[in-house]
Amino acid sequence: MNIPYTVEARPDTGLHNGKFGVWLFLASEVMLFGALFSSYILLRVGAPEWPHGLLSVALGTVNTIILISSSVTMVMAWASLKMNDFGKHRLYLSATFVLAAIFLVNKYFEYKEHLHAGEGPWKDTFFAIYYTLTGLHGLHILGGMVVMAYFLGPGTRLWKTNPEQFTNRIEITGLYWHFVDLVWIFLFPVLYLL
Amino acid sequence: MHSDPAEVRKSVRSYITVFVALMVFTIITVAASRFHFAVPVAITIALIIATMKGSMVAGVFMHLSHEKKLIYGALLLTVVFFIVLLFVPILTQLDHIGTSQEQVAAPHEQGGVPH
């Protein structure tokens, strides 16, 4: 059985189904992170004082640069497919995967340092919300890496049989990845700088 | 969404421009935090820059600057609910259930020392 509208746009929505599905998923993700940002505001406004300077701004800045760079390599991976250059696509997607891995390694060292100093999520409200927000974001990075690994491995086969559908899949993977970058763009100043 | 390879080739230049702009804004955000502004000013500056960066990612990388109307509709609905969600903490400040005025005023009326 053929699943319809994986390549051609549905007449009523003007979009292929995968794309509209991912946008709806991202809308639900906005609400998920929105609830946590809302909790952050509630906790911060209700606290008599809020700690400042507990996190490494240098490490946070490096991770911001890594994620922004990974967003560019991701969009270039899609653009390369549109320009029919599969070799470049693999190069850019691999670069995105590696950058995501470096982000998580940095996060691991950051968590390790804080945990060694006794600054776990149990320490205070600040660390509780810090681990919740960055932990959930880290899980999203991990999820994105699983999808990218699939498209670098077994998922590649689709390029030979249906290149347009493969391109659409990379496009919606990119939408998810840019959203993960977008969340970090707000997390960085909120947790590290303010 | 661009489907023509020639158009995609053109948009690659805008991806690089946005990348440079995002880097510059990141540096500005970190630099601004070193000036130790008053908290409300610092929050305003940081969130304005973050919103500008977010708009560039959504508009150019996610191609929201030229998308189908259905996606704009879905996102508009999301933005409305997101704003409601952010205002929920304010509603908790207005919630006085279980804390009547008599209970709040009681220590003073009875001449007790507030703790």
Side-chain angles (χ1 to χ4, degrees):
Chain A
M1 192 189 96
N2 270 345
I3 299 171
Y5 307 117
T6 53
V7 173
E8 74 278 20
R10 254 180 83 115
D12 51 355
T13 62
L15 300 157
H16 61 87
N17 280 351
K19 190 171 180 178
F20 187 50
V22 161
W23 270 113
L24 290 181
F25 168 67
L26 292 183
S28 74
E29 289 278 273
V30 169
M31 298 312 285
L32 173 67
F33 279 100
L36 288 173
F37 272 109
S38 186
S39 306
Y40 168 86
I41 294 168
L42 181 64
L43 292 171
R44 184 160 181 169
V45 169
E49 56 182 271
W50 195 252
H52 187 77
L54 294 179
L55 303 176
S56 165
V57 175
L59 205 54
T61 308
V62 168
N63 266 351
T64 305
I65 291 167
I66 287 170
L67 267 199
I68 290 171
S69 306
S70 77
S71 249
V72 180
T73 52
M74 188 76 218
V75 78
M76 289 302 291
W78 167 80
S80 303
L81 288 178
K82 281 285 183 189
M83 292 185 279
N84 214 20
D85 191 338
F86 188 71
K88 267 193 182 170
H89 156 75
R90 278 189 75 80
L91 194 72
Y92 282 122
L93 193 63
S94 303
T96 312
F97 184 87
V98 170
L99 287 167
I102 296 172
F103 179 94
L104 284 186
V105 168
N106 279 346
K107 209 86 209 110
Y108 164 76
F109 283 117
E110 198 179 1
Y111 277 0
K112 194 179 161 192
E113 198 182 308
H114 285 297
L115 290 170
H116 273 272
E119 294 167 340
W122 53 84
K123 189 178 181 258
D124 55 28
T125 312
F126 171 77
F127 278 104
I129 196 74
Y130 161 74
Y131 281 102
T132 307
L133 281 165
T134 57
L136 184 69
H137 180 263
L139 283 176
H140 279 74
I141 297 271
L142 202 61
M145 285 176 74
V146 170
V147 176
M148 281 186 257
Y150 173 75
F151 287 124
L152 284 167
T156 309
R157 280 189 298 246
L158 187 66
W159 173 253
K160 286 173 187 154
T161 55
N162 195 340
E164 269 193 84
Q165 191 181 356
F166 183 79
T167 307
N168 284 347
R169 285 185 173 183
I170 294 298
E171 182 193 356
I172 59 177
T173 306
L175 286 177
Y176 169 81
W177 193 251
H178 301 313
F179 174 78
V180 172
D181 179 27
L182 214 153
V183 170
W184 182 259
I185 282 172
F186 284 91
L187 279 184
F188 171 59
V190 162
L191 293 173
Y192 289 76
L193 302 177
L194 298 175
Chain B
M1 172 59 52
H2 302 303
S3 51
D4 180 27
E7 272 188 57
V8 173
R9 207 163 281 126
K10 266 188 214 168
S11 57
V12 166
R13 198 178 295 168
S14 64
Y15 299 148
I16 305 300
T17 310
V18 166
F19 171 64
V20 173
L22 288 171
M23 289 297 174
V24 170
F25 278 123
T26 302
I27 293 165
I28 292 171
T29 311
V30 176
S33 73
R34 305 248 167 201
F35 281 103
H36 302 293
F37 292 114
V39 174
V41 179
I43 290 175
T44 308
I45 292 172
L47 289 186
I48 286 174
I49 297 174
T51 306
M52 287 166 76
K53 286 167 75 180
S55 305
M56 282 191 271
V57 170
V60 181
F61 292 164
M62 298 171 90
H63 306 118
L64 261 189
S65 54
H66 42 272
E67 258 308 345
K68 294 280 183 292
K69 277 182 185 169
L70 187 69
I71 289 177
Y72 291 138
L75 288 180
L76 186 70
L77 204 61
T78 311
V79 167
V80 170
F81 282 112
F82 180 73
I83 290 168
V84 171
L85 200 62
L86 287 184
F87 275 93
V88 168
I90 293 171
L91 295 177
T92 63
Q93 301 290 318
L94 302 171
D95 178 14
H96 297 297
I97 297 169
T99 52
S100 65
Q101 288 304 311
E102 292 80 15
Q103 280 175 314
V104 174
H108 298 286
E109 284 168 10
Q110 291 164 8
V113 181
H115 296 286

